[in-house]
Amino acid sequence: MINEKPDKGIITFCVSVLWIHGASIGTIALLSGRTPGSVRGIVHRAFSTTPREGMTLAQRQQKLDEMRASRKDDNRLPDKYFTALPIPAAKARPPAPKSKGPIPLYMKPKAPVPQPLPEPDLRTRAGRKEAQRRKKEAARKDRLEEAKRAEREQGGAQNRGMNGSALEYLYTLRILDDPGDRTVERAPQGISSRERRKEAGRILREYIDGCRVGAVSSVDFEREVAGGGAGIGIAAWRVQCISAIGAIRKMMPDRDYLLIEGIVDRDECPWEPIKSVTAKRFLYEAIRRSLDVVAASESLMALDAFETRWGFSLVLADTIDRDDALSISRQARSLFTTAQRGNR
């Protein structure tokens, strides 16, 4: 029989009558002013052993008669709710698809393979424009594929300098690029701007290293020569480096030279403490301009291209060539040797 609890309240009694009457959960919630979840909970507690679906129409009417004889709703429910109504049959649910493990047996159909586009008619203007567009698109895809292939072959070597040299850091993040070179739609003519500036930074780094005289590279003028040649006072390469550094410093303000010297030689990152995006943009532009000065002095950039890019003409300073540097080195060696012999 139905599991009835004694001393049921008015709400529980009304919900039970409506449920046995044949109303749905939504209808009972609307009539009683409660939520469907609350109505479902009352029905489950009151009719947990014998559900409504297991009772016949006569059994439900008998139960409603018993509940009318002992009403607890203060005659709030109309008499029509004490008449059992037939319950419509529930709609049959479609069977669940069979599955084998986590992968269902039914699969979505594969997307159709796109058919190749018809060849454009080159006799019309629209056809010629379409052919040109396809040619550019094919070239763009080839450049992308070439960049991916180069990245796979390098094995991530281009990212190893991200936390190392400041020059390689700027190169990797494409900060050395001109704004027009940062898209694959526009292929650079000849050497790209960032490649040119990276090479200029490396040349400047070599010049700075060549100007140094350390304990390891210093010359011992007192040693005896054992067939390997006499000691050199100042190497010709060092003379060339000193001359090149002097010429580069003449072609740019001191603040610009000190900026790129700290970047290429001491791995300084002057952009890190700067918070303003606009200030960083001006700093990056100064770095690119200074490296272009070095590139122009080393014939990596034409003077007219420099003037077009930066809006002013650059005057190249004179430097010492290899023959003059070798002559100065030999003269220095002769002077040092004479001075040492005279002090003995």
Side-chain angles (χ1 to χ4, degrees), residues 19 21-24 27 52-53 57 60 84-92:
W19 180 251
H21 167 70
S24 63
T27 303
R52 185 179 66 174
E53 290 77 9
L57 185 62
R60 289 168 48 215
L85 298 178
I87 301 174
K91 296 182 180 180

Side-chain angles (χ1 to χ4, degrees), residues 320-338:
I320 298 176
D321 57 9
R322 183 179 179 279
D323 294 336
D324 293 339
L326 185 59
S327 176
I328 294 174
S329 175
R330 291 172 179 173
Q331 292 177 14
R333 170 190 170 189
S334 176
L335 291 175
F336 288 147
T337 304
T338 303

Side-chain angles (χ1 to χ4, degrees), residues 3-80:
N3 181 20
E4 293 184 5
K5 293 184 179 181
D7 301 327
K8 291 188 293 184
I10 295 177
I11 296 297
T12 303
F13 179 81
C14 294
V15 170
S16 301
V17 171
L18 293 173
W19 180 251
I20 297 298
H21 167 70
S24 63
I25 294 292
T27 303
I28 297 174
L30 183 63
L31 294 175
S32 61
R34 304 180 69 87
T35 61
S38 176
V39 172
R40 194 176 291 109
I42 294 175
V43 171
H44 178 73
R45 289 189 297 269
F47 307 98
S48 59
T49 57
T50 305
R52 185 179 66 174
E53 290 77 9
M55 300 172 62
T56 62
L57 185 62
Q59 290 175 342
R60 289 168 48 215
Q61 185 60 50
Q62 179 183 359
K63 181 59 183 172
L64 287 175
D65 294 340
E66 294 177 357
M67 298 177 71
R68 178 188 292 180
S70 58
R71 299 184 66 165
K72 299 179 181 180
D73 62 336
D74 297 335
N75 296 326
R76 296 181 181 180
L77 286 174
D79 292 339
K80 65 178 181 179

Side-chain angles (χ1 to χ4, degrees), residues 97-131:
K98 297 181 180 180
S99 61
K100 183 179 180 181
I103 303 177
L105 295 180
Y106 65 95
M107 301 293 292
K108 293 182 179 180
K110 295 183 179 180
V113 179
Q115 299 295 329
L117 297 176
E119 293 294 331
D121 188 3
L122 300 181
R123 294 173 297 180
T124 62
R125 181 179 180 182
R128 291 191 294 271
K129 292 179 67 176
E130 178 64 17

